[in-house]
């Protein structure tokens, strides 16, 4: 009657209508009650993005690269970015499995024509080799892109890919 769910109802509800996020860990005393939520978030592949200790925001992945790296969230600016200024994008990556190569990340701001790179940034995610990422760990990764002073106003797309700098091989076919 009140719309409350018990542990036995979670799988059916998540399967029918998976939420974008689950918030846990606000109070240490809630660990026992939250354990079924945490277990379900883990089995459903949600990415645990740390909030103010000890809270976690479990997010349904936005994208996945070859079932090796997941994107849980991205911090975008809340306002339009003016030409000539800097744009800071912060991504929250999760290694799904042990990574046997140091993948570099390429972030491109693509123009309305879908072809022109307005700005780009690349390298190891915030200087951390991906072979050092333990599976399940979440790594914040920031990229500061400089918007050209002559950039036209309008919507732009952010494209992200991972590649092996030694061979230029892409990880998977791009985000899934």
């Amino acid at each position: 009657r009140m719309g409350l769910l018990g542990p036995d109802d979670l799988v059916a509800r998540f399967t029918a209508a998976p939420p974008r996020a689950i918030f846990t860990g606000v109070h240490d005393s809630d660990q026992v009650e939250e354990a079924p939520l945490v277990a379900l978030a883990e089995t459903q592949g949600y990415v645990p993005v740390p909030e103010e200790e000890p809270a976690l925001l479990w997010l349904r992945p936005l994208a996945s690269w070859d079932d090796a790296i997941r994107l849980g969230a991205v911090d975008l600016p809340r306002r339009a970015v003016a030409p000539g200024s800097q744009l800071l994008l912060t991504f929250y990556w999760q290694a799904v499995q042990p990574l046997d190569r140091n993948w570099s990340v390429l972030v491109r701001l693509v123009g309305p024509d879908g072809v022109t790179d307005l700005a780009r940034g690349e390298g190891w995610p915030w200087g951390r080799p991906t072979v050092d990422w333990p599976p399940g760990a979440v790594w914040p990764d920031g990229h500061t892109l400089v918007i050209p002073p002559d950039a036209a106003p309008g919507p732009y797309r952010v494209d992200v890919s991972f590649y092996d700098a030694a061979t230029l091989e892409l990880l998977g076919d791009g985000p899934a």
Side-chain angles (χ1 to χ4, degrees):
R1 180 179 103 203
M2 297 180 73
L4 299 175
L5 299 175
D8 296 335
D9 304 318
L10 290 177
V11 173
R13 175 60 65 96
F14 270 59
T15 301
R20 168 71 181 113
I22 303 165
F23 194 52
T24 64
V26 174
H27 302 287
D28 288 335
S29 60
D30 293 337
Q31 286 179 341
V32 171
E33 290 83 3
E34 291 178 343
L37 281 173
V38 170
L40 189 58
E42 289 174 336
T43 60
Q44 296 292 318
Y46 280 59
V47 178
V49 176
E51 293 293 319
E52 190 171 321
E53 288 268 345
L56 287 176
L57 183 61
W58 296 84
L59 297 167
R60 197 170 66 234
L62 295 170
S64 177
W65 284 261
D66 209 23
D67 290 325
I69 297 174
R70 289 186 190 129
L71 173 61
V74 60
D75 288 335
L76 300 169
R78 297 188 188 277
R79 299 184 181 179
V81 179
S85 62
Q86 294 183 347
L87 167 64
L88 174 62
L89 303 170
T90 304
F91 301 91
Y92 295 87
W93 308 115
Q94 180 186 46
V96 179
Q97 58 189 329
L99 300 170
D100 60 355
R101 291 197 225 183
N102 284 320
W103 297 101
S104 291
V105 64
L106 170 61
V107 179
R108 299 172 39 235
L109 190 61
V110 180
D113 63 3
V115 178
T116 306
D117 283 2
L118 186 70
R120 64 188 289 148
E122 58 189 302
W124 282 350
W126 254 348
R128 180 77 181 217
T130 57
V131 294
D132 291 346
W133 293 5
V138 175
W139 298 98
D141 172 34
H143 293 266
T144 301
L145 306 179
V146 178
I147 307 303
D150 60 348
Y156 291 85
R157 183 179 77 225
V158 176
D159 281 354
V160 178
S161 57
F162 287 88
Y163 68 95
D164 182 329
T167 65
L168 301 182
E169 177 186 346
L170 289 174
L171 177 59
D173 294 328

